[in-house]
Amino acid sequence: WYKRGVDMESAAARAGWLTAQVYLANAYLQSKGVPLDYGEAMHWMRKAAENGYRQAQVNLGSMYRDGQGTPQNYGEAMYWYRKASDQGSAVAEWMIGRLYFQGRGVIRDFTEAATWFRTAAEAGVPVAQWDLGMMSYHGYGVSKDLAAARAWLQKAAARGYAPAKEM
């Protein structure tokens, strides 16, 4: 089944269809219908990202962050996350916050991380709501505020984020 889908998407990807390029990249990343091939995944994800496909920009940033199909490069990850953020990707905003929180490719900055987490949390990203809640609980980058922490953690739980549901 996947093989037929890959064959069809491959032709569409070569014709320049961005969603087909992302589909094909993901097929190579997940070994669905084709052998696992990070190089091919990187090739197709980059094509879609360079042509402005927001989800491809997030995915490409993650490939650079994780070193999939390329040497790990947090600067490139940040570049692609910012491109996606500029197009309104709340997930990319959360990813930028994670890079600041962890000090990956940037100087560790809890205040900057909290700013990005808040933007993503307000857009409804459950893991960003969790991160902002935990930062509020501990006072990392924001004032320690147990009421705010509880509110963000409850929002994350309401959106189905498992760690928040277990609290």
PDB file of all heavy atoms in Angstrom, residues 9 20 53 61 69 75 90 101 118-119:
ATOM      1  N   GLU A   9       3.322   9.854  -5.107  1.00  0.00           N
ATOM      2  CA  GLU A   9       3.832  11.079  -4.495  1.00  0.00           C
ATOM      3  C   GLU A   9       5.194  11.464  -5.065  1.00  0.00           C
ATOM      4  O   GLU A   9       5.513  12.644  -5.168  1.00  0.00           O
ATOM      5  CB  GLU A   9       3.911  10.937  -2.974  1.00  0.00           C
ATOM      6  CG  GLU A   9       2.564  10.783  -2.299  1.00  0.00           C
ATOM      7  CD  GLU A   9       1.668  12.007  -2.405  1.00  0.00           C
ATOM      8  OE1 GLU A   9       2.168  13.132  -2.550  1.00  0.00           O
ATOM      9  OE2 GLU A   9       0.450  11.824  -2.332  1.00  0.00           O
ATOM     10  N   ALA A  20       3.570  16.856  -1.598  1.00  0.00           N
ATOM     11  CA  ALA A  20       4.110  15.572  -2.035  1.00  0.00           C
ATOM     12  C   ALA A  20       5.578  15.448  -1.623  1.00  0.00           C
ATOM     13  O   ALA A  20       6.041  14.361  -1.261  1.00  0.00           O
ATOM     14  CB  ALA A  20       3.967  15.417  -3.546  1.00  0.00           C
ATOM     15  N   TYR A  53       7.137  26.063   2.454  1.00  0.00           N
ATOM     16  CA  TYR A  53       6.147  25.197   3.098  1.00  0.00           C
ATOM     17  C   TYR A  53       6.452  25.147   4.587  1.00  0.00           C
ATOM     18  O   TYR A  53       7.466  24.603   5.012  1.00  0.00           O
ATOM     19  CB  TYR A  53       6.181  23.803   2.466  1.00  0.00           C
ATOM     20  CG  TYR A  53       4.984  22.944   2.804  1.00  0.00           C
ATOM     21  CD1 TYR A  53       3.786  23.113   2.131  1.00  0.00           C
ATOM     22  CD2 TYR A  53       5.054  21.980   3.789  1.00  0.00           C
ATOM     23  CE1 TYR A  53       2.685  22.332   2.434  1.00  0.00           C
ATOM     24  CE2 TYR A  53       3.963  21.190   4.105  1.00  0.00           C
ATOM     25  CZ  TYR A  53       2.775  21.373   3.422  1.00  0.00           C
ATOM     26  OH  TYR A  53       1.692  20.596   3.728  1.00  0.00           O
ATOM     27  N   GLY A  61      14.042  21.907  10.445  1.00  0.00           N
ATOM     28  CA  GLY A  61      14.687  22.375  11.675  1.00  0.00           C
ATOM     29  C   GLY A  61      14.931  21.225  12.635  1.00  0.00           C
ATOM     30  O   GLY A  61      16.007  21.106  13.234  1.00  0.00           O
ATOM     31  N   GLY A  69      20.120  12.909   8.646  1.00  0.00           N
ATOM     32  CA  GLY A  69      20.433  13.201   7.258  1.00  0.00           C
ATOM     33  C   GLY A  69      21.417  14.330   7.088  1.00  0.00           C
ATOM     34  O   GLY A  69      21.692  14.784   5.984  1.00  0.00           O
ATOM     35  N   GLY A  75      22.264  25.897  14.939  1.00  0.00           N
ATOM     36  CA  GLY A  75      22.092  27.180  14.248  1.00  0.00           C
ATOM     37  C   GLY A  75      21.149  27.041  13.058  1.00  0.00           C
ATOM     38  O   GLY A  75      20.269  27.884  12.848  1.00  0.00           O
ATOM     39  N   ALA A  90       3.078  27.821  15.556  1.00  0.00           N
ATOM     40  CA  ALA A  90       3.200  27.818  17.009  1.00  0.00           C
ATOM     41  C   ALA A  90       4.134  26.699  17.471  1.00  0.00           C
ATOM     42  O   ALA A  90       4.846  26.856  18.472  1.00  0.00           O
ATOM     43  CB  ALA A  90       1.827  27.670  17.650  1.00  0.00           C
ATOM     44  N   PHE A 101      15.814  27.287  26.182  1.00  0.00           N
ATOM     45  CA  PHE A 101      15.760  26.658  27.496  1.00  0.00           C
ATOM     46  C   PHE A 101      16.960  25.735  27.706  1.00  0.00           C
ATOM     47  O   PHE A 101      17.551  25.692  28.784  1.00  0.00           O
ATOM     48  CB  PHE A 101      14.451  25.866  27.647  1.00  0.00           C
ATOM     49  CG  PHE A 101      14.265  25.291  29.023  1.00  0.00           C
ATOM     50  CD1 PHE A 101      13.732  26.063  30.036  1.00  0.00           C
ATOM     51  CD2 PHE A 101      14.622  23.984  29.302  1.00  0.00           C
ATOM     52  CE1 PHE A 101      13.562  25.541  31.314  1.00  0.00           C
ATOM     53  CE2 PHE A 101      14.460  23.448  30.573  1.00  0.00           C
ATOM     54  CZ  PHE A 101      13.926  24.234  31.586  1.00  0.00           C
ATOM     55  N   ARG A 118       5.377  31.090  25.926  1.00  0.00           N
ATOM     56  CA  ARG A 118       4.105  31.792  26.124  1.00  0.00           C
ATOM     57  C   ARG A 118       3.392  31.991  24.785  1.00  0.00           C
ATOM     58  O   ARG A 118       2.179  31.751  24.676  1.00  0.00           O
ATOM     59  CB  ARG A 118       4.315  33.138  26.814  1.00  0.00           C
ATOM     60  CG  ARG A 118       2.994  33.894  27.032  1.00  0.00           C
ATOM     61  CD  ARG A 118       3.187  35.177  27.840  1.00  0.00           C
ATOM     62  NE  ARG A 118       3.825  34.928  29.113  1.00  0.00           N
ATOM     63  CZ  ARG A 118       3.226  34.437  30.199  1.00  0.00           C
ATOM     64  NH1 ARG A 118       1.952  34.116  30.136  1.00  0.00           N
ATOM     65  NH2 ARG A 118       3.889  34.263  31.316  1.00  0.00           N
ATOM     66  N   THR A 119       4.126  32.396  23.776  1.00  0.00           N
ATOM     67  CA  THR A 119       3.517  32.600  22.458  1.00  0.00           C
ATOM     68  C   THR A 119       2.892  31.299  21.954  1.00  0.00           C
ATOM     69  O   THR A 119       1.748  31.289  21.480  1.00  0.00           O
ATOM     70  CB  THR A 119       4.570  33.114  21.457  1.00  0.00           C
ATOM     71  OG1 THR A 119       5.120  34.338  21.964  1.00  0.00           O
ATOM     72  CG2 THR A 119       3.962  33.372  20.092  1.00  0.00           C
TER      73      THR A 119
END
